[in-house]
Amino acid sequence: MGKRLLTIVQMNDLHGYLEPHAEIIWSPGGPQFPTMGGLARIASVVAGLRGETSGALVFLDNGDTFHGTFPAVHSRGEALIPMLNALGIDAMTAHWDFAWGPGHLKALTSRLNYPMLAANCIDPSTSERPFSAQMIFERGGIRVAVIGLAATIIDKSMPPRFAGGLQFTSGLSELHSAIEQAKTDEADIIVVLSHQGFPQDCLLAESVAGIDIIVSGHTHNRLSHPARIGQTLIMQSGCHGSFIGKMTVSLDDGRIDLVKHQLIPIDDTIPEQADITELVERAMAPHRAMLSVIVGSTAKPLHRATSMDAPMDDFLLAAICDVAGTAIGFSNGWRYGAPIPPGPISQNDLWNIIPTNPAVSTVELTGLEIWEMVEDNLERTFSADPFGQMGGYVKRFRGLTVFGRIENPPGHRVVDIHAGQEVLDAKKRYRVAYVTEQGVPAKFGVDRANLEISAIDAMASYLRKGVLNDIAGTGRFVAV
């Protein structure tokens, strides 16, 4: 048939961002915060690409779609359905999309005009998959098999309601049979749509023969060039809809070659597609007045774009410790959350920091438990086995200085911990503040209590003290 071309377009880790927002871009002079993203702009880009390719295009969404902003969480994902259907997506997989349980996700995805794919999701009570494993799409005369892999951590490090009894594997064993099925279905190109993470997807490419392309998500990598592991190409395109990925490959007599890859910035040079703008406005209008309220200001940028610690979480922890009256605090190392440039802070910004708005909680931990919890988290962040990496960034903490060696083996990374100016006492009980069980897992501590104040109200209260600048008491990991 001669050489044929296929373009794959990727949107990963949208986290519910419907409208343009600040995004962090690193430069030699420090971070910049241009306004990026927005579904109406994404729609405009994708429409242009469909025209350029004469429809020889597959548009894939890696999940983390229905959760992460106020309108997404307030509606439990439903607010996004009309605009997602209008985008012309071909398939998705999932992670935070399970936040309200598998039943709710099944109901949500039943209203989409494209499938939710998860070959590695099993119901142990029936040994069946609650979601389809794969689909065949024919575009430009090319048969494309898309195999979905949901996040393997859903039943391992997320709150129990996410999995709801379902089991999520690494996908290693399921891929072999899925690839054989794709070959039986006469697929010309085999694509894995994965929410495992870039390190995990590199391991999948090394371990499983027959994958042509992995469309990777979860770890928010902005790959300006695709990775190549053996014969497999891997793309990943940031988060929050600030970028989309475009990969064009050629197929000639069974040989697949990379023609071009682009990490496309969704910036203010891109016009909005009017019908999507209207749908977004319908979703935002009931909340716009509340979300626009200015609750404070910051002299420094607040972001989550660094692995060991981040100023956005320094602010969150200072606020929860302030209302709890503790010197020590913990929160999860979430990756999502658009940055806040220096200047005013709105109610919308606070919801983007912690969209679940949990109660501020307290618990008593021994020094030994704090040490063990930090060790556990370092392994879940930096495990030499990619599938041992089950968190986001390093757990955020306040009131502690941790000295450690990342290169050491599991359980031996922490060298010393100080609480304030004192060496952490293994036997002493420390009352600490935290938010969510991802901040302090249930196996640690005694005397847990929820305060009668939410995380967002705590942050608003803290902002009333004055403009955010240097926050005393911030916790740090010091590599020694």
Side-chain angles (χ1 to χ4, degrees), residues 2 16 86 201 207-208 231 248 308 344 346 368 381-382 397 402 453 475:
D201 290 331
S207 305
V208 181
Q231 298 302 308
T248 300
M308 305 306 294
S346 69
L368 180 60
T381 307
F382 298 112
F397 51 86
V402 178
I453 185 168

Side-chain angles (χ1 to χ4, degrees), residues 129-443:
R129 293 187 178 102
F131 301 96
S132 298
Q134 61 202 90
M135 291 285 290
I136 293 281
F137 302 92
E138 187 155 344
R139 302 290 157 82
I142 297 175
R143 289 177 63 79
V144 185
V146 178
I147 304 165
L149 295 180
T152 187
I153 66 172
I154 292 170
D155 63 341
K156 301 170 184 67
S157 63
M158 304 304 292
R161 69 178 184 277
F162 278 57
L166 299 181
Q167 293 178 349
F168 296 81
T169 73
S170 67
L172 283 166
S173 61
E174 289 83 2
L175 278 176
H176 291 288
S177 58
I179 289 168
E180 287 305 310
Q181 181 62 52
K183 291 176 179 177
T184 299
D185 293 337
E186 300 182 335
D188 298 303
I189 296 177
I190 297 175
V191 177
V192 173
L193 175 62
S194 169
H195 201 100
Q196 303 281 37
F198 182 67
Q200 294 83 350
D201 290 331
C202 288
L203 180 58
L204 287 176
E206 289 178 1
S207 305
V208 181
I211 304 171
D212 298 310
I213 298 167
I214 299 179
V215 180
S216 176
H218 180 57
T219 43
H220 297 193
N221 294 67
R222 296 175 191 164
L223 298 185
S224 55
H225 304 281
R228 185 185 287 275
I229 307 293
Q231 298 302 308
T232 304
L233 293 165
I234 305 176
M235 65 189 298
Q236 196 177 131
S237 307
C239 61
H240 303 146
S242 298
F243 297 84
I244 62 171
K246 171 196 170 190
M247 180 187 289
T248 300
V249 297
S250 64
L251 177 67
D252 189 5
D253 194 26
R255 177 185 171 90
I256 299 166
D257 290 309
L258 174 67
V259 174
K260 187 177 182 181
H261 171 270
Q262 287 177 276
L263 183 65
I264 302 173
I266 306 300
D267 59 24
D268 56 12
T269 65
I270 297 171
E272 294 190 353
Q273 189 168 302
D275 60 327
I276 305 296
T277 300
E278 182 179 342
L279 291 173
V280 169
E281 182 56 31
R282 285 182 198 168
M284 294 298 299
H287 317 299
R288 201 172 292 287
M290 180 273 288
L291 294 174
S292 298
V293 172
I294 301 302
V295 291
S297 62
T298 178
K300 289 191 169 185
L302 304 179
H303 66 79
R304 273 196 179 125
T306 42
S307 179
M308 305 306 294
D309 54 70
M312 182 177 284
D313 295 304
D314 291 344
F315 163 46
L316 171 62
L317 289 168
I320 69 169
C321 287
D322 183 64
V323 297
T326 68
I328 300 174
F330 295 97
S331 67
N332 189 52
W334 294 296
R335 294 188 185 95
Y336 62 75
I340 305 169
I345 298 175
S346 69
Q347 192 75 14
N348 187 57
D349 292 323
L350 300 187
W351 279 98
N352 289 346
I353 291 172
I354 188 162
T356 55
N357 193 23
V360 177
S361 303
T362 59
V363 64
E364 286 195 5
L365 300 172
T366 65
L368 180 60
E369 286 179 309
I370 291 173
W371 188 297
E372 291 175 345
M373 185 170 67
V374 172
E375 282 281 14
D376 282 0
N377 177 253
L378 291 172
E379 172 60 12
R380 283 179 170 240
T381 307
F382 298 112
S383 177
D385 174 5
F387 285 104
Q389 298 173 18
M390 295 188 187
Y393 293 135
V394 170
K395 183 184 297 294
R396 308 316 197 184
F397 51 86
R398 176 178 171 80
L400 301 172
T401 304
V402 178
F403 300 91
R405 292 182 178 271
I406 297 299
E407 69 274 19
N408 280 6
H412 301 280
R413 292 188 173 97
V414 175
V415 174
D416 205 357
I417 302 179
H418 283 66
Q421 299 302 310
E422 303 294 328
V423 174
L424 190 74
D425 185 336
K427 296 181 179 180
K428 181 179 176 179
R429 290 193 177 277
Y430 296 85
R431 183 171 175 267
V432 309
Y434 71 99
V435 281
T436 82
E437 282 193 9
Q438 288 184 295
V440 177
K443 66 180 181 178

